């Protein structure tokens, strides 16, 4: 018998997107339950000790933290998304952590209190992206033609910039042709598109506007 998967989600959480993308890439059916992280239900706190999304319920048993969820799914279902070689697998795990660091930088960017901090955070992100450009080959995805867990981790990173670029152009992807091509390949992949709701851009725009940050001050 197949397992029953339930993904506890928040509509804007990039880490939820990683899990949703992995589930879709694996061809696994799952139920998705969105919660309000500002008003967490008691039942959620019982399955998420850190009080964060995502949580994956596997036949009712909870797994929390996106990297752990994705690794579990990759280990227990066919069509591995991690490399078979131990060294390559470890390197992929390291770049997934780099994706998390990039998300932290993105948070610093949209929460920047003034223009000076905003520009500093923009430079921080550009530096990360320049490092990432050097790791890319000529294939569609991070390590060539095969979609991996690294791709699942970076797709939510790049999605932010679809909205950021509607506000102001910081040139995050200028002179980064491989990164630009990778971003575009991820944008059109079905699992990536399905990882968020249709109202995601509007929800993210409203979220950014409500931050009362230097970025939100640039919004029309």
């Amino acid at each position: 018998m197949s397992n029953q998967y339930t993904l506890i989600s928040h509509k804007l959480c990039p880490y939820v997107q990683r899990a949703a993308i992995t589930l879709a890439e694996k061809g696994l059916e799952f139920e998705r339950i969105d919660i309000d992280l500002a008003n967490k239900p008691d039942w959620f706190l019982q399955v998420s000790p850190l009080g964060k999304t995502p949580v994956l319920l596997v036949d009712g048993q909870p797994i929390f933290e996106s990297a752990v969820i994705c690794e579990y799914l990759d280990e227990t279902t066919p069509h591995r998304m991690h490399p078979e070689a131990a060294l390559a697998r470890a390197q992929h795990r390291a770049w997934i952590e780099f994706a998390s660091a990039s998300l932290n930088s993105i948070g610093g960017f949209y929460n920047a209190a003034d223009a000076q901090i905003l520009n500093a955070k923009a430079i921080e992100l550009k530096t990360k992206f320049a490092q990432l450009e050097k790791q890319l080959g000529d294939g569609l995805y991070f390590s060539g033609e095969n979609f991996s867990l690294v791709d699942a981790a970076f797709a939510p990173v790049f999605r932010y910039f679809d909205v950021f670029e509607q506000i102001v152009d910081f040139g995050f992807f200028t002179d980064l042709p491989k990164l630009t091509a990778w971003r575009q390949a991820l944008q059109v992949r079905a699992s990536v598109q399905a990882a968020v709701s249709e109202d995601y851009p509007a929800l993210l725009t409203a979220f950014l506007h409500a931050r009362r940050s230097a970025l939100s001050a640039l919004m029309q």
Side-chain angles (χ1 to χ4, degrees), residues 74-127:
D74 201 42
E75 289 173 358
T76 58
T77 60
H79 311 299
R80 292 294 299 272
M81 296 171 66
H82 254 335
E84 290 298 328
L87 177 58
R89 194 161 61 247
Q91 290 171 330
H92 274 222
R93 288 185 176 120
W95 284 106
I96 290 170
E97 184 60 29
F98 192 88
S100 297
S102 299
L103 288 172
N104 289 337
S105 295
I106 287 171
F109 176 75
Y110 66 63
N111 282 312
D114 56 45
Q116 182 177 359
I117 299 174
L118 184 69
N119 288 327
K121 290 299 180 181
I123 292 171
E124 183 179 304
L125 278 164
K126 290 177 186 178
T127 300

Side-chain angles (χ1 to χ4, degrees), residues 4-151:
Q4 290 188 332
Y5 301 103
T6 303
L7 182 63
I8 312 303
S9 162
H10 180 273
K11 283 193 170 185
L12 289 178
C13 178
Y15 296 97
V16 167
Q17 293 177 48
R18 292 182 183 183
I21 291 167
T22 303
L23 284 159
E25 289 290 335
K26 293 285 188 172
L28 301 172
E29 294 185 4
F30 64 100
E31 180 185 7
R32 187 165 177 167
I33 300 176
D34 293 321
I35 65 162
D36 180 2
L37 287 174
N39 187 24
K40 300 169 186 174
D42 290 340
W43 64 263
F44 172 70
L45 295 174
Q46 292 176 13
V47 297
S48 177
L50 297 176
K52 300 190 299 184
T53 54
V55 174
L56 183 68
L57 302 179
V58 182
D59 296 332
Q61 296 297 312
I63 307 172
F64 58 95
E65 288 297 304
S66 63
V68 178
I69 290 169
C70 293
E71 291 265 0
Y72 167 79
L73 291 170
D74 201 42
E75 289 173 358
T76 58
T77 60
H79 311 299
R80 292 294 299 272
M81 296 171 66
H82 254 335
E84 290 298 328
L87 177 58
R89 194 161 61 247
Q91 290 171 330
H92 274 222
R93 288 185 176 120
W95 284 106
I96 290 170
E97 184 60 29
F98 192 88
S100 297
S102 299
L103 288 172
N104 289 337
S105 295
I106 287 171
F109 176 75
Y110 66 63
N111 282 312
D114 56 45
Q116 182 177 359
I117 299 174
L118 184 69
N119 288 327
K121 290 299 180 181
I123 292 171
E124 183 179 304
L125 278 164
K126 290 177 186 178
T127 300
K128 281 187 167 62
F129 288 166
Q131 291 175 283
L132 193 53
E133 173 83 5
K134 296 176 182 178
Q135 300 300 314
L136 299 176
D138 297 324
L140 278 178
Y141 302 114
F142 178 76
S143 58
E145 298 303 319
N146 294 324
F147 189 93
S148 70
L149 291 182
V150 178
D151 297 289

